[in-house]
Amino acid sequence: MFIVNLFSVVLHTIVVTVLLLHDKEKVYLKGKDKIVPPFRFGVEDVATKMWFHKLAYPGQFYSFIQHLDIIFYYLRKKGKYAKEPKTESHWILGRLNIEERRMYMYNSLSTAMKDSAAIKACQPFAVLLPHFFALFDEFKKENKPVCLDPFEVVKVDGLPQQTSNDCGCFVASFAEYFIDMKLIPPIFDVEKHRDRLAVLFYKYARMKEVEFIDSEDEAPPKGPKKNLS
């Protein structure tokens, strides 16, 4: 595919400078990791090439501030403008359906123990969200009777499963499939999805830098309109 070939040229020649394979946290030679000026992604600035390395390579854990916060910032924009410590960390995706009063749980590491822990993590949201909706009259807006019973948590079956530390990539891709109103395929090539994310964000950051483009949330506020009368 063109996107993969572009990744090979752009990311490996510009972003991935000399790799030191013995240490996953120090893959660049000293002084070769910096991006000057930093890429501006709205919610965060990216000043190191290591950000793209972790985005692109399987087995690298996506952190919330450094990766998922930026990815979901742009997924929210995509949805908005789209047409109709020795603890184990793991990302899951929750999708709320108010009409059905259900929270659908998307888990890319599905075992009896993992699913039980994921459902348990969703329960506080299932209990609290009806109270928030009642507080802000969301039920009335939808012409629904006010009901404070917890939402039902439903596990989504038939999802592709991760084999390494790639849950963040799975979660971001599940959300994008839903925003694009596409079915999640049973076979998921995590390397291609990571390549695609890395290329898209690198190209977007370069475009903003070269063309001096600001997103809505980054642009300075507009002044008051002049009265010409």
Side-chain angles (χ1 to χ4, degrees):
M1 292 178 63
F2 173 74
I3 193 74
V4 177
N5 292 336
L6 177 63
F7 170 79
S8 300
V9 174
V10 175
L11 198 58
H12 283 284
T13 58
I14 299 180
V15 177
V16 184
T17 320
V18 182
L19 291 176
L20 303 178
L21 299 178
H22 65 280
D23 188 344
K24 287 186 177 180
E25 294 301 320
K26 296 180 181 179
V27 297
Y28 295 97
L29 294 174
K30 186 176 180 180
K32 299 294 185 179
D33 186 34
K34 302 298 182 183
I35 298 176
V36 181
F39 289 156
R40 298 174 58 210
F41 281 121
V43 289
E44 286 291 328
D45 290 351
V46 173
T48 66
K49 298 174 185 176
M50 191 66 188
W51 190 89
F52 290 95
H53 177 85
K54 289 190 174 183
L55 191 69
Y57 284 87
Q60 300 285 334
F61 187 75
Y62 287 177
S63 71
F64 178 71
I65 298 279
Q66 293 182 342
H67 293 96
L68 287 179
D69 200 25
I70 293 176
I71 291 171
F72 273 87
Y73 170 76
Y74 285 99
L75 285 180
R76 288 193 295 271
K77 291 169 69 68
K78 182 174 185 176
K80 179 179 179 181
Y81 296 109
K83 297 178 180 179
E84 289 225 336
K86 288 190 180 181
T87 57
E88 186 176 359
S89 298
H90 177 61
W91 290 102
I92 61 173
L93 177 69
R95 177 174 65 86
L96 178 64
N97 189 314
I98 300 179
E99 181 76 22
E100 299 177 4
R101 295 187 59 81
R102 286 179 171 177
M103 290 182 62
Y104 289 93
M105 180 194 71
Y106 295 74
N107 187 7
S108 61
L109 192 60
S110 182
T111 64
M113 183 178 296
K114 297 288 186 183
D115 287 339
S116 176
I119 291 174
K120 185 177 180 180
C122 291
Q123 288 297 340
F125 297 96
V127 172
L128 289 174
L129 282 174
H131 291 268
F132 281 111
F133 290 145
L135 181 64
F136 293 104
D137 292 329
E138 289 297 325
F139 290 118
K140 293 181 181 178
K141 294 177 185 177
E142 299 291 331
N143 294 319
K144 302 293 182 185
V146 176
C147 178
L148 300 181
D149 293 341
F151 291 131
E152 179 186 3
V153 179
V154 179
K155 173 182 173 288
V156 178
D157 294 317
L159 297 173
Q161 297 293 291
Q162 67 189 79
T163 57
S164 188
N165 200 18
D166 297 310
C167 52
C169 183
F170 276 79
V171 162
S173 298
F174 290 167
E176 189 169 17
Y177 278 119
F178 180 72
I179 289 171
D180 290 339
M181 294 183 288
K182 295 179 180 178
L183 294 176
I184 299 173
I187 300 176
F188 186 89
D189 191 330
V190 69
E191 291 191 31
K192 287 185 178 180
H193 280 268
R194 281 182 174 266
D195 287 354
R196 175 177 169 274
L197 285 173
V199 169
L200 287 177
F201 278 99
Y202 184 84
K203 286 183 63 180
Y204 183 68
R206 287 290 299 159
M207 179 189 70
K208 291 182 67 178
E209 182 182 69
V210 171
E211 299 181 16
F212 303 101
I213 296 174
D214 281 329
S215 300
E216 303 94 318
D217 297 341
E218 302 163 351
K222 295 180 180 179
K225 293 183 178 180
K226 294 182 179 180
N227 188 352
L228 300 179
S229 59

